[in-house]
Structure formats: structure tokens, C-alpha cells
Amino acid sequence: MNPTIEEKHIYFGGGCFWCIEAVFQDLKGVVQVENGYAGGDEKTANYKSVSSGKTKHAEICKITYNENIISIDILLKVFFLAHDPTQLNKQGNDIGTQYRSIIFYNNLLEKKQIDNYIKQLENEKVYKNIQTEIVVFNEFYKAEEYHQDYLNLNPNQPYCSIVINPKIQKLKKKLKDYYN
């Protein structure tokens, strides 16, 4: 008998959404990853506007997951290993508020889990001075179709081979039990 599928969503931003998408796609228990925008108005929820850095949007991923297979703590572990949460409004060469480290939570229980995880990282001195914003979820705006499944559709693009692939290989080596 199959366990009941309990699908939930969490919303992560940590630099370019292509990177975040790629590190979550092959995780056991992740059902779907969609690239998009959150934090601003619907009228500015498009790549041209968001990349200007003048909207309140962040590039984020909507992670749909089965909580019977993967826990929020594992998702947080992957998220915090996949980017540098101590950077304010940037990741590598991606600079601007649209690339900020951010988590949108759905309810107070989820917020508490996120806050506790961050405190644990700081107490264990994994990171010092985490800049990740923790914000209540309001609205997700799906990014343009050419931004979806980016790595798989553009494996030879230089950004994919130079930035994304090494990041994925590092995570898969470190967290091999969690990947398909």
C-alpha cells in the first residue's frame, strides 16, 4: 500500500533560480521545482523587470515535496549548503536584491522550524551572521517558460557547466543518501 502523498510547498531564493532549481530537482521526495518570482507586484513579475533590481521580487524556486519522503530539515540543509547565506543581496557574480537569500514560509510552525535551523547553524558555527530573509509567503509568480528546467535543457551553456554542475556534484557527494 502506498503512503498517502502529502505534498507541501516551500519557497527558496539564493542567487540565480537556475542554481536553486538544479540542486533540488533530483532530491528524493521532491515532486516538482518551478522557477519564479516573489516579494513584489504582479505587474513586475517578469525577468526583464526583476533583473533590473528595481522591483521587490527575488528570483525563487517553488519546491513541491512529499513530506512522507523528505523533511523540511533536509530541504533546509540542502538550501543552506547550496548557497552562501552570509552574503547580502548577492551570490557570486549575481549581485542585486533579486538574488538575495530568502525563504518564504507558509505558517508559523514552518517559520519556527526555519528559525530553529538557522539558530542551530549559527550555534554550531557553520555560518556566522546569516543574512537569509524569512518572510511570510504571499504570492508566487512562475517565471517565463525558458527559465524552467534550465540545466537539463541547456547543459552546455557556460553558466551551467562552470557554476551549476560543480555545485550539484559537490552536494550530491556530500548528501548522496538524499539524491536519486
Side-chain angles (χ1 to χ4, degrees), residues 75-158:
L75 294 169
L76 289 168
K77 182 176 196 161
V78 171
F79 174 70
F80 282 103
L81 286 171
H83 79 298
D84 182 351
T86 66
Q87 296 291 306
L88 182 62
N89 299 329
K90 68 178 240 166
Q91 287 296 304
N93 292 326
D94 295 328
I95 300 170
T97 57
Q98 70 271 29
Y99 299 117
R100 67 192 179 271
S101 178
I102 191 166
I103 301 172
F104 290 91
Y105 65 88
N106 295 293
N107 55 55
L108 292 177
L109 175 61
E110 205 171 84
K111 182 182 185 320
K112 184 177 179 180
Q113 290 173 295
I114 295 164
D115 289 340
N116 288 340
Y117 194 86
I118 290 172
K119 283 180 194 164
Q120 177 186 338
L121 289 173
E122 289 182 332
N123 289 341
E124 293 174 359
K125 300 191 182 347
V126 175
Y127 294 110
K128 182 179 176 184
N129 197 22
I130 291 175
Q131 298 293 314
T132 305
E133 289 180 43
I134 312 303
V135 181
V136 66
F137 174 73
N138 186 20
E139 188 72 40
F140 172 80
Y141 303 100
K142 187 174 177 180
E144 297 81 356
E145 201 54 43
Y146 67 91
H147 287 299
Q148 307 302 324
D149 199 24
Y150 195 82
L151 175 64
N152 291 326
L153 296 174
N154 302 279
N156 298 318
Q157 199 260 14

